[in-house]
Amino acid sequence: MNLRRPNANEATGTFNRSRNVVPMSGICTRCIDGCKGGCETWLASFRGREVLYPGPFGEMTAGADKNYPLDYSHLNIQGYAVGAFGLPEGVEPGPDTSIFPNVDVSTEYGWSEKVSMKLPIFTGALGSTDIARMNWEHFAIGAAISGITIVCGENVCGVDPELVLDGHGQVQRSPEMDRRIETYRRFHEGWGEILVQMNVEDTRLGVAEYVSSRHGLETIELKWGQGAKCIGGEIKVDRLERALELKSRGYMVQPDPGNLEVQMAYKSGAIKEFERHSRLGFVSRDGFFDEVDRLRGLGFKRITLKTGAYSMAELAMAIRYGAEAKIDLLTIDGAPGGTGMSPWPMMNEWGIPTFYLQALAYEFATKLSRRGKKVPDIAMAGGFSTEDGVFKSIAMGAPFVKAICMGRALMIPGMVGKNIGRWLEKGELPASVSKYGSRPEEIFVSYEDLHAKYGNDMKDIPCGAVALYTYCQKFKTGMQQLMAGSRNFRLSTVSRKDLMTLTEEAARVSGIDYVMNAYRDEAEAILDAWITISE
């Protein structure tokens, strides 16, 4: 069976003319001379490299839709009729104490200086894409009032139009980075944190030095990769002058804006956009340790690492090097990817899928742990959007996985709320929203809770932030219900025994018991005990 239909997808704005398509190539079974469009092969014939990327850039996020043989739907959560684990000290289990609203879904991460979050989720790296920039206020304030961490992604300083560099090519002033940090901090209440991610160009530009000296940031994240792609990050720009500016800052820009032929093609209208790419990193043990030491020397209390869907060897490196360096959080991002801009074929066809990657991460972390080695706290990422998936991943990775990094699922509420706010201002609420009311107090089920807490400050909380908070409250309740059903009243008691696999293949890959074997020994013991008594 085919796991993906290539050559046509809404993400690239392409489609097949025919209902009958060759499974492997994605080309219509009958390709007609004179066809007016529009599969990827057809469109690439005159727009070339543009067709590699989802679009329109800056107006959407894209997620790969390859259907892998195994994912978290192959796991089910165990439920029990007895027991209650993780209740507060001195609280006796019973129908009146073991109720789901009493479940504690908070978590923490860090080697020695911990960061606590109200929920076991945090945002993916929201970096230099237009989606992240234009919606930052909604994302950042929403994360702050929800009590979760937000990751400010790579290249934010590097693409800042108002960036000022000193005589050594280091960041002297970046208003965009300042805005990102200050927006989150305005409503930060001690839960979660904002951390900044760095790639090759960020390191060269001195981003760590800037956010440490100017903002006193306590955490910095090193980036080895992500699940969406195995090359550096990229954005698009539509002005030649902007492309030249980014090239002058050390970025790789394609097509080369300094090339005369390219400039002529741009002026004639053939070239309408340029891609700014980041460079590949090269990891070595000594280099990694040196960088961690350098960052600690700058004053950072916590160092985190984000790695992608690389081979087993790189995963082992991340876990081992992270343990040796005593990093505070290792985020492991599996395939398929979701992003504001990554090559569409790469998003679908590279890397180890999240389910398999987590199975390997658990295997490697367990191996080190059994030999007396402490491993970093781990966060999984790569396709999560609901509380059941988060529960399964935390249980599957217990006791190492402390949280789940979520990309598009935490961006969507911010954009939905932002648009509701705009529709309210214009009097253009769609029927899908207006059926709930015509004022924010009526539309957002959590609005009055926030108003009671923030009072007049509600004027500074945009609708996108209210929406993200509202989504997080749904997530909290759903997580509490799942945990109570599995008799876990705090996250630290959730274990792999709280899962079963629905297929033997999933059992083989994950090491989780197959449904027909899970708790079989306990069940047989109950039956055998009665038989023994009877005899």
Side-chain angles (χ1 to χ4, degrees):
M1 63 177 290
N2 286 80
L3 305 180
R4 174 187 172 225
R5 177 169 165 171
N7 198 42
N9 195 282
E10 184 186 6
T12 55
T14 55
F15 57 90
N16 288 105
R17 174 192 50 78
S18 172
R19 289 179 297 176
N20 302 112
V21 176
V22 179
M24 181 175 174
S25 68
I27 297 173
C28 298
T29 52
R30 189 175 60 135
C31 185
I32 299 175
D33 186 359
C35 175
K36 296 181 180 179
C39 69
E40 290 182 15
T41 303
W42 179 87
L43 186 57
S45 299
F46 55 98
R47 295 314 302 170
R49 62 189 300 125
E50 292 179 4
V51 189
L52 287 172
Y53 304 98
F57 173 71
E59 300 177 22
M60 56 87 228
T61 62
D65 55 9
K66 187 170 183 176
N67 189 19
Y68 294 113
L70 291 178
D71 61 24
Y72 294 86
S73 70
H74 290 245
L75 300 174
N76 258 31
I77 299 167
Q78 293 279 8
Y80 312 104
V82 296
F85 305 98
L87 289 169
E89 185 79 24
V91 175
E92 290 294 322
D96 295 321
T97 59
S98 306
I99 57 176
F100 79 80
N102 288 346
V103 172
D104 182 0
V105 296
S106 65
T107 191
E108 62 180 14
Y109 61 85
W111 192 272
S112 55
E113 296 202 31
K114 303 287 188 178
V115 173
S116 297
M117 298 193 297
K118 290 185 178 181
L119 299 168
I121 55 176
F122 62 96
T123 75
L126 302 166
S128 58
T129 63
D130 283 350
I131 282 286
R133 176 183 57 80
M134 293 187 297
N135 293 286
W136 182 259
E137 184 180 26
H138 306 278
F139 299 154
I141 295 176
I145 63 178
S146 299
I148 62 174
T149 288
I150 190 168
V151 182
C152 180
E154 60 191 354
N155 297 310
V156 171
C157 290
V159 304
D160 186 349
E162 298 180 50
L163 175 69
V164 177
L165 299 175
D166 63 19
H168 303 286
Q170 303 284 286
V171 178
Q172 182 176 337
R173 185 169 178 270
S174 175
E176 176 61 16
M177 179 61 79
D178 298 343
R179 179 181 77 93
R180 301 257 183 140
I181 295 172
E182 290 162 5
T183 300
Y184 179 82
R185 282 181 165 174
R186 198 185 329 158
F187 284 92
H188 182 245
E189 298 171 337
W191 294 87
E193 63 176 340
I194 181 170
L195 60 91
V196 170
Q197 187 183 84
M198 290 203 310
N199 63 9
V200 173
E201 286 81 10
D202 292 316
T203 303
R204 292 178 178 179
L205 287 170
V207 170
E209 289 84 348
Y210 182 75
V211 298
S212 176
S213 62
R214 184 176 178 87
H215 295 284
L217 218 62
E218 295 185 339
T219 307
I220 197 84
E221 180 162 279
L222 296 171
K223 182 175 183 181
W224 286 8
Q226 61 190 54
K229 52 185 173 286
C230 52
I231 60 173
E234 59 276 295
I235 62 168
K236 288 186 177 183
V237 297
D238 58 8
R239 293 186 298 110
L240 176 63
E241 296 76 16
R242 178 73 165 140
L244 288 166
E245 178 184 55
L246 293 175
K247 182 180 179 181
S248 71
R249 293 178 181 176
Y251 287 105
M252 177 174 57
V253 182
Q254 295 291 316
D256 185 354
N259 184 289
L260 180 59
E261 288 76 14
V262 169
Q263 293 179 5
M264 292 174 63
Y266 173 80
K267 291 175 181 177
S268 69
I271 291 177
K272 303 180 187 302
E273 57 191 17
F274 299 86
E275 307 148 22
R276 183 238 64 199
H277 292 270
S278 297
R279 288 168 172 77
L280 295 174
F282 283 80
V283 177
S284 71
R285 182 176 176 275
D286 290 344
F288 177 68
F289 291 159
D290 288 345
E291 180 65 359
V292 169
D293 288 342
R294 183 183 77 86
L295 294 172
R296 287 188 174 132
L298 292 175
F300 290 102
K301 295 180 180 180
R302 287 175 294 272
I303 313 294
T304 66
L305 173 64
K306 169 81 171 288
T307 191
Y310 298 123
S311 77
M312 271 197 220
E314 278 83 359
L315 177 62
M317 288 163 58
I319 295 173
R320 179 193 157 181
Y321 297 174
E324 289 184 272
K326 299 181 180 180
I327 66 168
D328 295 272
L329 183 68
L330 170 62
T331 300
I332 303 172
D333 193 7
T339 182
M341 182 183 163
S342 288
W344 183 244
M346 186 175 289
M347 273 203 280
N348 281 279
E349 299 299 334
W350 97 280
I352 301 177
T354 310
F355 185 88
Y356 302 85
L357 196 62
Q358 177 162 9
L360 291 168
Y362 175 79
E363 178 186 342
F364 296 167
T366 300
K367 185 173 186 176
L368 292 180
S369 183
R370 285 175 178 168
R371 295 182 180 180
K373 308 295 185 183
K374 181 182 176 181
V375 300
D377 290 336
I378 292 174
M380 292 303 303
F384 296 99
S385 66
T386 57
E387 53 276 2
D388 52 290
V390 170
F391 180 99
K392 291 174 182 179
S393 184
I394 289 174
M396 182 175 166
F400 309 108
V401 173
K402 305 300 184 184
I404 302 301
C405 177
M406 294 167 61
R408 297 202 298 158
L410 281 173
M411 298 172 72
I412 290 169
M415 293 186 286
V416 169
K418 173 195 68 177
N419 287 313
I420 289 174
R422 289 178 176 176
W423 294 329
L424 282 168
E425 290 177 0
K426 296 178 180 178
E428 298 176 353
L429 276 179
S432 55
V433 179
S434 63
K435 67 181 181 179
Y436 297 102
S438 57
R439 298 178 298 127
E441 297 91 326
E442 298 170 323
I443 295 169
F444 295 102
V445 71
S446 297
Y447 189 92
E448 290 298 348
D449 290 340
L450 290 171
H451 186 265
K453 179 176 181 179
Y454 294 104
N456 290 333
D457 288 338
M458 280 298 292
K459 67 182 185 303
D460 299 320
I461 299 178
C463 284
V466 176
L468 198 155
Y469 175 86
T470 303
Y471 168 85
C472 284
Q473 295 313 296
K474 173 263 184 184
F475 179 94
K476 176 183 177 180
T477 301
M479 193 74 176
Q480 287 175 318
Q481 292 170 343
L482 291 171
M483 288 176 63
S486 64
R487 305 296 173 123
N488 293 291
F489 285 80
R490 67 170 182 263
L491 277 176
S492 60
T493 64
V494 174
S495 74
R496 288 166 63 85
K497 293 285 284 183
D498 295 319
L499 299 175
M500 56 187 143
T501 65
L502 304 180
T503 64
E504 293 179 289
E505 174 68 5
R508 185 185 67 80
V509 170
S510 68
I512 302 292
D513 285 343
Y514 179 49
V515 60
M516 299 306 292
N517 298 326
Y519 286 102
R520 178 170 288 278
D521 290 345
E522 291 85 346
E524 296 286 359
I526 292 169
L527 299 174
D528 290 344
W530 188 44
I531 294 171
T532 301
I533 293 171
S534 300
E535 293 174 346

